[in-house]
Amino acid sequence: MVSQFLNGPPPSGCFMVGRWHVEPAASELQDGDLTVRLRPKTMDLLVVLAEKPGEVLGTRDLLDRVWPDVVVGDASLSMLVVELRKALGDDPKNPEFIETIPRKGYRLIAPVSWIEAPQATRFALVGAETRVLLVEGENLIGRDPESRVRIDSVLVSRRHGRIVITGENVTIEDLGSKNGTYFNGNRLQGPEPLFPGDRITIGRLAATYCFVIVSDTATVTEASKVDSSEQ
């Protein structure tokens, strides 16, 4: 879910700036399959600019926000701006993201949309060595960087399948993947309801999971016995 926040960013901290998906905690920018890692200070600068898109932020203000406990000069800020522009693919002569305001500072001119933190549920997928907590709404399965259940395998499609949770109702469906999604041993032909203990195999043998209720210790323990040879 994406929305504009008048009183600052939501707890998730993630946001879109132009075409880029920004994850401050991971210090990463994502545009489709392209992932760019930023230095922590460079990400700090982007976050500060994104909190007030379209507003001119003075050099002194930016220095105080990015280096709150250290005294640094304007050159340090200029270097960060150069780094950030390079990461975003921005041209300072014809900016799409960061505009320089001579003798004043900088402003972020690209549109910014903050992403609300997803609502947690009591459901999860448990594999031989992993557990993925599922959220309300759509949980994408695949190679896409945006996938809730991300599987890096050539046997898995970019948008392979999805699990949709609406309250206590949970369904799984394949999204036209090449190698299929298997539900309790049978290839999915349409949406199916999920219940604790159901087994899901993605892309033939790329990954196998058990659907569980995380508050049910017995179910989680049993699910942890998923044979890694199946994956």
Side-chain angles (χ1 to χ4, degrees), residues 116-198:
E116 295 182 64
Q119 181 181 346
T121 71
R122 63 194 188 109
F123 303 113
L125 293 182
V126 176
E129 299 178 352
T130 187
R131 184 175 74 170
V132 181
L133 299 177
L134 303 175
V135 298
E136 185 77 11
E138 181 181 80
N139 296 263
L140 184 64
I141 303 169
R143 290 186 293 107
D144 192 299
E146 299 296 314
S147 297
R148 184 73 183 177
V149 185
R150 189 176 180 185
I151 305 170
D152 187 15
S153 169
V154 295
L155 297 176
V156 177
S157 300
R158 181 182 173 84
R159 293 177 58 85
H160 195 101
R162 68 176 182 174
I163 293 173
V164 178
I165 300 177
T166 306
E168 293 298 304
N169 297 316
V170 186
T171 59
I172 182 171
E173 64 179 304
D174 186 81
L175 296 178
S177 66
K178 180 180 179 181
N179 291 317
T181 301
Y182 293 81
F183 173 68
N184 292 330
N186 299 311
R187 186 164 183 164
L188 279 175
Q189 302 300 323
E192 291 283 350
L194 272 176
F195 298 98
D198 284 340

Side-chain angles (χ1 to χ4, degrees), residues 49-129:
L49 290 169
E51 288 176 350
K52 296 183 178 180
E55 293 188 28
V56 178
L57 299 183
T59 300
R60 186 71 263 164
D61 184 28
L62 290 171
L63 289 172
D64 290 344
R65 292 289 306 280
V66 179
W67 290 275
D69 303 315
V70 182
V71 177
V72 299
D74 293 0
S76 296
L77 177 60
S78 296
M79 289 177 60
L80 278 194
V81 171
V82 170
E83 283 186 27
L84 184 53
R85 280 176 168 152
K86 182 178 180 181
L88 294 168
D90 203 18
D91 180 357
K93 296 181 180 179
N94 185 27
E96 179 185 352
F97 292 92
I98 302 171
E99 180 181 17
T100 300
I101 309 300
R103 295 182 297 278
K104 291 186 177 181
Y106 303 91
R107 68 178 170 188
L108 188 64
I109 56 176
V112 175
S113 298
W114 294 91
I115 301 173
E116 295 182 64
Q119 181 181 346
T121 71
R122 63 194 188 109
F123 303 113
L125 293 182
V126 176
E129 299 178 352

Side-chain angles (χ1 to χ4, degrees), residues 9-81:
S12 75
C14 298
F15 59 95
M16 297 293 299
V17 55
R19 64 182 180 277
W20 292 98
H21 179 274
V22 184
E23 294 193 21
S27 205
E28 288 184 349
L29 307 175
Q30 295 179 342
D31 179 15
D33 287 330
L34 176 62
T35 299
V36 178
R37 290 193 60 82
L38 300 181
R39 292 195 301 142
K41 288 298 182 185
T42 309
M43 178 58 76
D44 289 344
L45 174 60
L46 177 56
V47 171
V48 171
L49 290 169
E51 288 176 350
K52 296 183 178 180
E55 293 188 28
V56 178
L57 299 183
T59 300
R60 186 71 263 164
D61 184 28
L62 290 171
L63 289 172
D64 290 344
R65 292 289 306 280
V66 179
W67 290 275
D69 303 315
V70 182
V71 177
V72 299
D74 293 0
S76 296
L77 177 60
S78 296
M79 289 177 60
L80 278 194
V81 171

